[in-house]
Amino acid sequence: MDLTKRILSIGLAAVAASSYAAKIEIRFESATEREVWVLDDTPDRMPLAGRAFNSKSIPIEADGDSKVIVVHEPKTSSVAIKRAGDIEGSWTVDAKEWRAAEVTVKAFTRGRPLPSGRIGLHTPSFTKTMPVENGEAKFFAVPYGDVEVRVDYKNGGIPPTAPQIFRISKEADASERTIGVTVVEGADAAVPADGTESGQAAQPARTW
């Protein structure tokens, strides 16, 4: 084989390798309406226009181990996320893998929406901060259970308010997954805002 043919052969092999897509089967306990995305990375917010399915099994293709598979269940407003490289042939979505598709934290100061800053959410398996926009911050794929909320209202990089703990429940309606806190300027604390919390009483704060 001459040099030209060898280069062509190597090029075709590289193209074939790059176009290879692993076939994966996603399995569930029961059939219901769901959406699926195969993305380059984990998104910061709910993606749009996924492929729609209504079955106990969903076949997909992922062209690379680094691809991220996102499953959305509109009925419970829950998502499950997994990298293609962590799946061997099939993925049976466990109940513990579901997370709240979106959680909104609304921050107030002196009775008005907080104009700027950052809000942080923390659980043993999730830590994320998002900028305040129009007095609120939205978080994607938040684990169910207790979450700690802190507000960096001075944009200092480290949230100065004491953490408040709220509970996010899968059984609650998606519209109830809104947490409200009032920032008291000059004090190392934030307090729950009446009528805008997640529907669960705040628990004693702990540091993180």
Side-chain angles (χ1 to χ4, degrees):
M1 181 182 293
D2 60 33
L3 181 59
T4 301
K5 289 183 178 180
R6 182 181 298 176
I7 293 174
L8 179 60
S9 177
I10 293 173
L12 290 174
V15 170
S18 64
S19 62
Y20 170 77
K23 295 183 178 180
I24 296 172
E25 182 182 14
I26 309 175
R27 300 171 181 172
F28 308 92
E29 291 185 357
S30 59
T32 189
E33 291 185 1
R34 296 184 179 94
E35 295 177 287
V36 176
W37 295 261
V38 179
L39 306 173
D40 291 332
D41 207 348
T42 304
D44 281 333
R45 62 191 63 197
M46 189 69 198
L48 302 175
R51 293 176 59 195
F53 297 89
N54 192 336
S55 62
K56 292 179 64 176
S57 176
I58 298 175
I60 64 166
E61 291 187 351
D63 57 347
D65 288 348
S66 63
K67 292 293 185 179
V68 174
I69 301 168
V70 178
V71 181
H72 176 226
E73 191 174 272
K75 183 179 179 180
T76 60
S77 192
S78 300
V79 294
I81 303 173
K82 204 159 196 173
R83 288 200 177 271
D86 295 330
I87 302 172
E88 296 183 2
S90 65
W91 171 24
T92 300
V93 181
D94 186 85
K96 295 180 180 179
E97 293 183 278
W98 291 110
R99 298 181 171 204
E102 187 174 79
V103 172
T104 301
V105 180
K106 294 187 176 183
F108 303 88
T109 182
R110 299 180 180 177
R112 297 179 180 179
L114 191 69
S116 63
R118 295 187 69 87
I119 295 176
L121 253 61
H122 173 78
T123 77
S125 61
F126 178 93
T127 296
K128 188 78 173 179
T129 64
M130 296 294 289
V132 173
E133 298 179 2
N134 298 319
E136 64 182 36
K138 295 181 181 295
F139 295 82
F140 174 69
V142 179
Y144 289 114
D146 290 349
V147 296
E148 294 181 348
V149 180
R150 271 181 150 169
V151 183
D152 177 9
Y153 62 92
K154 293 182 179 179
N155 280 325
I158 300 176
T161 62
Q164 293 290 316
I165 300 179
F166 298 83
R167 176 161 294 178
I168 306 299
S169 171
K170 186 177 181 181
E171 289 68 37
D173 187 85
S175 62
E176 298 176 17
R177 294 174 192 167
T178 297
I179 296 170
V181 293
T182 296
V183 175
V184 181
E185 292 188 32
D188 186 23
V191 297
D194 293 339
T196 56
E197 57 195 81
S198 62
Q200 301 289 334
Q203 302 299 313
R206 57 182 183 270
T207 58
W208 52 282

